[in-house]
Amino acid sequence: MSDTVIRVENLSKKYLLGSKQEQGSYNTLRDAIVSRTKSLGRQLLTPFTQGVAKPDKKEEFWALKDVSFEVKQGDIVGIIGRNGAGKSTLLKILSRITEPTSGRVSIKGRVASLLEVGTGFHPELTGRENIFLNGAILGMSRFEIKSKFDEIVAFAEVEKFLDTPVKHYSSGMYVRLAFAVAAHLEPEILIVDEVLAVGDMQFQKKCLGKMGEVSKREGRTVLFVSHNMQSIRRLCSQAFFLQTGIANTLSCIEEVIQQYSADFLTSDFDIDLSSLHRSNGLGQRVRLLHFQLAPGFSFKYGQPLKLIFTIQCFQYLEDLAIGIAYNTLDGNRVMTLESDHKYPLLELSAGIHEVHFSLDRNPLHPGRYSIDIVIHLITQPLDAVIGSLIWEVGLDSADFASERGFGGCRLPVDVVTYKKSS
């Protein structure tokens, strides 16, 4: 089909950092409560802050800048970009949650969005009640919703908890039901953000299959944001790369994946760890200062990898080790690298030191991982940064084994075959 259902023209969104947004934007009850609380706080603090200089200018931040594209009916379009590129802002504007600063959006048809855990659900209502609530929001009659009800429940696999308030659901259950509702209540346009990463691998495959089905069989349009290039490659017919609020034109999948992968090659990954929050007692004898990807290296799967830790010892220390752990975003540990696994414990004098970790090939399957970094004396932690960093493993263009859907850490093995006599 050739009808244009989404037309975006010169779309821009500006935020003023450190200030309230301009009047006329949509405010929720929560916004009003937060605003009132801040106002009360300012009144209480006034006697203590009189005479304190305040900045005259507010910093402008453009989350999107002159983005233009068109999507035809029945297309499945991938939106690719790093964290902070503007993907979520774009989807919120398309879902009419946020208003643009400038530009124009034209949408033909009903839109169902799954942008984050809890989107469109009332936490006090049961799963059953939320299904009917969402259907009503989409303009469906009670009869239409009832005709789809059994399909939704079967797909979400939450029948046992259907009459339980959704505030008691796990994040995985929440997402299963939310996706089932969005996909089955027949919106003309389905918008799905990275939220599917909360679900297990089997459910993600099930969702990808359903999105392909509603597009090919029913002619509905899908916008899909993901950091998983295999999912993008398997599902989408075309995509565009969003980088610091600026979008390239819609292109074929492989071309966009190459742009995304190249962005990781040229990125400067040098993170200041010294100012991150520590639990009581940590960071007093030794402190993590920086975590850096060595120049000339990338986060691509299968490529050589070198990591640099900069640490400061406040006294002479012996029997010291550094460890870095990688976890899936739902909390499963998939790989640990430790300095004392192959080499003796470290002995460091007072001062600043660099510790280098090198791997012949990055064994992590493409995807997103949270990172824990710990400095310890055998078993006693001296400093730790837990869950504050996200590691995004890029896709190597020749890595088609990832299509099998295996996750975590994939290591090379020696393989020998023997022919047995018949």
Side-chain angles (χ1 to χ4, degrees), residues 316-321 345-348 376-379 382:
Y316 166 78
L317 291 169
E318 57 182 347
D319 296 333
L320 197 68
L345 290 164
L346 303 173
E347 182 179 350
L348 301 176
H376 52 88
L377 291 174
I378 305 180
T379 59
L382 297 182

Side-chain angles (χ1 to χ4, degrees), residues 195-211:
V195 68
L196 290 183
V198 175
D200 57 62
M201 184 68 70
Q202 287 302 115
F203 182 72
Q204 290 181 42
K205 290 182 178 179
K206 190 175 180 179
C207 291
L208 292 175
K210 182 62 179 178
M211 285 190 282

Side-chain angles (χ1 to χ4, degrees), residues 66-84:
D66 294 327
V67 173
S68 298
F69 62 90
E70 291 185 2
V71 178
K72 306 293 185 183
Q73 182 178 350
D75 284 350
I76 306 181
V77 175
I79 304 174
I80 301 173
R82 302 187 68 182
N83 290 334

Side-chain angles (χ1 to χ4, degrees), residues 8 25 65 117 164 175 222 264 292 317 325 342 345 376 380 389 391:
V8 174
S25 61
K65 191 67 174 176
V117 175
T164 301
V175 168
V222 179
F264 281 100
Q292 180 182 5
L317 291 169
K342 184 179 178 181
L345 290 164
H376 52 88
Q380 177 191 356
L389 308 175
W391 168 292

Side-chain angles (χ1 to χ4, degrees), residues 330-378:
D330 55 359
N332 294 315
R333 179 69 51 85
V334 292
M335 185 173 76
T336 302
L337 305 175
E338 295 179 297
S339 62
D340 62 335
H341 182 76
K342 184 179 178 181
Y343 295 92
L345 290 164
L346 303 173
E347 182 179 350
L348 301 176
S349 60
I352 296 177
H353 305 265
E354 280 190 358
V355 180
H356 293 217
F357 280 18
S358 297
L359 291 173
D360 291 337
R361 62 198 309 271
N362 176 12
L364 281 177
H365 178 87
R368 299 168 70 199
Y369 305 85
S370 66
I371 296 175
D372 302 334
I373 306 175
V374 181
I375 303 178
H376 52 88
L377 291 174
I378 305 180

Side-chain angles (χ1 to χ4, degrees), residues 1 74 76 209-220:
M1 299 186 184
I76 306 181
K210 182 62 179 178
M211 285 190 282
E213 178 185 321
V214 301
S215 174
K216 294 173 183 176
R217 294 187 184 179
E218 304 171 29
R220 288 188 261 166

Side-chain angles (χ1 to χ4, degrees), residues 28 42 56 138 142 176 193 216 223 256 286 320 367 404:
T28 64
R42 285 193 294 270
D56 294 327
L138 285 171
R142 187 172 182 83
R176 288 205 302 273
D193 204 345
K216 294 173 183 176
L223 294 185
V256 177
V286 60
L320 197 68
R404 299 167 187 159

Side-chain angles (χ1 to χ4, degrees), residues 6 71 75-81 87 90-91 94 114-115 179 189-197 204-205 207-209 211-212 221-240 253:
I6 300 176
V71 178
D75 284 350
I76 306 181
V77 175
I79 304 174
I80 301 173
K87 305 185 300 298
L90 173 61
L91 297 191
L94 295 178
L114 190 58
L115 304 185
F179 180 86
I189 300 168
L190 179 62
I191 297 177
V192 182
D193 204 345
E194 187 68 21
V195 68
L196 290 183
Q204 290 181 42
K205 290 182 178 179
C207 291
L208 292 175
M211 285 190 282
T221 304
V222 179
L223 294 185
F224 181 52
V225 168
S226 179
H227 288 86
N228 188 319
M229 295 302 104
Q230 275 66 43
S231 297
I232 292 284
R233 177 183 273 152
R234 185 181 302 122
L235 178 67
C236 301
S237 55
Q238 53 186 333
F240 63 83
I253 295 300

